[in-house]
Amino acid sequence: MAFATRQFVRAASSDAATAAAKKLLIKHVTIIGGGLMGAGIAQVAAASGHTVVLVDQSDEILKKSTKGIEESLKRVIKKKFADKPEAGAEFIQKTLKNLTTSTDAASVVHSTDLVIEAIVENLEVKNKLFQTLDKFAPEHTIFASNTSSLQITKMANATTRQDRFGGLHFFNPVPMMKLVEVIKTPMTSQKTFESLVDFSKAVGKSPVSCKDTPGFIVNRLLVPYMMEAIRLFERGDASKEDIDVAMKLGAGYPMGPFELLDYVGLDTSKYIIDGWHSLEPNNPLFAPSPLLNKLVEEKKLGKKTGEGFYKYK
């Protein structure tokens, strides 16, 4: 009898271990932040059949986000359902039916499988948000940040769910860009990582994996490249126009580095490089640029302000 009991306990333990190792099928998603990135993530998640709640601080912001999603969906159906207007209208209706909004994050995370944070690039603000949501979200819920420059590990450490915390770095504009960087910290469980990879595929993206290193893959290569272009210009080795033409015609890039800097926002680029420089002050790739600092100080931030390295009408 004792033997049979031990066998039963072992079997039960084995079943529990197997269940614990199973990936989480993500159905309900809460996205914090109704800006371009948050709204874009909400759109692709809702369009792929997920139940989505988009959260921001005010109804006014959320109305603007929803309107932007509707306009984006109209552009999508022009290509996807060019010959089937009725199917296109049905696609928009189904997508919007999957999407709701809220100004109270704590009240909507109680039934969510995944929380994606897409708010301001400020570690203190993000950590405060995650600490609060950690108290209200169920034990199974995975937390993820869409940060492009901050350490995922530092955010995970602000919660009690380090093993259920990772990075999901989408690219702008989210509905168009196919890539998602899935970031695994030293504490992220394999189950969590695989669940995030599966979710990325489910929303129609191509996931790549990266450890929690500054800039992950794309920005770790892209930001130093843009900074080196500025240094090339600062030294007087070539004009910014010729550098842009050279990289477009010689490397086949759709934009030159100065065009890209203006598109991204000079303040964003400065914020990233300053953060990396503080982490690795002796790394020449992360050295600040006097010219970039000067332009940001003068509020010449690129296309969004009408002037950066170039002037815009």
Side-chain angles (χ1 to χ4, degrees), residues 71-242:
E71 293 301 317
S72 178
L73 286 170
K74 288 176 184 176
R75 290 192 293 271
V76 169
I77 65 167
K78 280 183 181 179
K79 294 181 180 179
K80 195 172 180 179
F81 300 96
D83 302 324
K84 301 175 182 177
E86 288 182 4
E90 186 181 351
F91 172 75
I92 291 179
Q93 188 178 12
K94 280 186 176 179
T95 300
L96 294 176
K97 192 177 179 181
N98 289 334
L99 176 66
T100 56
T101 61
S102 175
T103 56
D104 186 357
S107 70
V108 296
V109 297
H110 61 84
S111 60
T112 197
D113 299 318
L114 173 64
V115 173
I116 303 176
E117 168 274 314
I119 62 173
V120 61
E121 282 286 84
N122 182 298
L123 184 62
E124 188 178 342
V125 175
K126 290 179 189 290
N127 281 353
K128 188 176 179 181
L129 171 70
F130 282 125
Q131 283 172 346
T132 301
L133 298 185
D134 194 34
K135 298 172 185 175
F136 294 94
E139 187 179 345
H140 79 275
T141 303
I142 295 172
F143 283 7
S145 174
N146 183 58
T147 183
S148 60
S149 62
L150 299 173
Q151 281 190 305
I152 303 294
T153 303
K154 288 184 177 178
M155 287 178 255
N157 284 337
T159 73
T160 60
R161 61 185 75 216
Q162 289 96 333
D163 60 323
R164 287 150 287 152
F165 204 115
L168 276 179
H169 183 217
F170 289 80
F171 290 79
N172 187 33
V174 177
M176 300 292 293
M177 299 295 280
K178 287 293 184 183
L179 184 68
V180 175
E181 292 176 322
V182 182
I183 316 305
K184 188 178 183 182
T185 77
M187 303 94 71
T188 306
S189 71
Q190 187 63 21
K191 171 185 168 182
T192 296
F193 171 72
E194 290 177 6
S195 299
L196 291 175
V197 168
D198 286 353
F199 171 74
S200 302
K201 291 177 181 176
V203 298
K205 304 304 180 187
S206 297
V208 294
S209 171
C210 186
K211 291 182 179 179
D212 191 15
T213 185
F216 314 134
I217 298 173
V218 174
N219 282 340
R220 181 61 178 263
L221 297 174
L222 191 61
V223 174
Y225 151 73
M226 294 191 295
M227 294 302 296
E228 190 58 27
I230 299 173
R231 295 182 194 110
L232 197 66
F233 177 50
E234 283 177 321
R235 292 194 300 268
D237 294 339
S239 69
K240 59 182 183 290
E241 292 82 3
D242 282 352

